[in-house]
Amino acid sequence: MDADNWLEDTRTSYDTVAVSYADQLRGALGERPYLRAALALFADLVRAAGGGPVADVGCGPGHVTAHLHELGLDAFGLDLSPAMIAVARRDHPGLRFEVGSMTELDLPDDSVAGVLAFWSLIHVPDDAVPAVLGHFRRVLRPGGTLLAGFHTGDESVLKTQGYGGHPMRVHVHRRRPETMAAWLREAGFTVEAQLLLGLDDRVPGAILFARLTS
């Protein structure tokens, strides 16, 4: 898969569905206690390590960034889609949101205390994931925490219609937790915990907590 094509397809697709996506997800965390618990634990881990800025990478319309802020974190959001960032700034005017790509993460080395990749790695092809995790490692401070949430499984599916019935063209990659954990270890992280979600759902999910120890 050509890197330029998947990035452009992802950007265009989420520009197209940004408003509908935000409308659909608004308030969604209120119905998902396990996700809220994972985010609360993430916030506790960041604070326990001394606190500092937290990057929500692939933040979409900013609802999770805002939730982290409510938990007391200095959270800011980055997303590939300018339309998503516009919606995030509209809905959460007091927070910082910037257009950016996780494949070329424009943050200084050792500049954040935590990185959240909340179902934002699902469109990244396998051969690009190690480089993305390398960027996460570069920008995290020693002792910093990474939370990665993703769909679990063994397949990649092409999504051609999305939120609100709008056209999309993105591949959704479902991965086994042990595969993601191996990639994290290869990138220099220590994997500390795993949470499996929706085990009886059509598409289950997983969350991994990883620490940068050196």
Side-chain angles (χ1 to χ4, degrees), residues 36-146:
R36 295 198 311 274
L39 292 170
L41 175 56
F42 175 71
D44 287 345
L45 292 171
V46 169
R47 283 191 291 266
V54 170
D56 181 4
V57 182
C59 65
H63 62 297
V64 179
T65 318
H67 186 76
L68 294 177
H69 179 74
E70 291 169 1
L71 291 173
L73 295 184
D74 178 17
F76 63 96
L78 302 170
D79 200 272
L80 183 66
S81 162
M84 282 290 189
I85 291 298
V87 170
R89 289 171 175 169
R90 179 200 70 188
D91 290 351
H92 311 286
L95 300 181
R96 171 189 164 198
F97 296 98
E98 302 291 343
V99 176
S101 172
M102 65 179 69
T103 61
E104 297 179 3
L105 200 54
D106 189 17
L107 294 172
D109 295 359
D110 304 329
S111 63
V112 298
V115 170
L116 182 75
F118 213 57
W119 277 262
S120 56
L121 291 167
I122 62 173
H123 303 306
V124 181
D126 286 0
D127 60 1
V129 171
V132 169
L133 296 180
H135 280 295
F136 292 171
R137 184 187 191 283
R138 176 182 59 79
V139 303
L140 267 172
R141 299 171 182 170
T145 296
L146 167 66

Side-chain angles (χ1 to χ4, degrees), residues 1-7 103 121-135 156 171 173 175 179-180 183 186:
M1 186 183 300
D2 182 80
D4 292 335
N5 285 346
W6 77 260
L7 280 171
T103 61
L121 291 167
I122 62 173
H123 303 306
V124 181
D126 286 0
D127 60 1
V129 171
V132 169
L133 296 180
H135 280 295
S156 296
H171 284 85
H173 305 288
R175 293 166 172 133
T179 300
M180 185 65 70
W183 285 337
E186 289 168 4

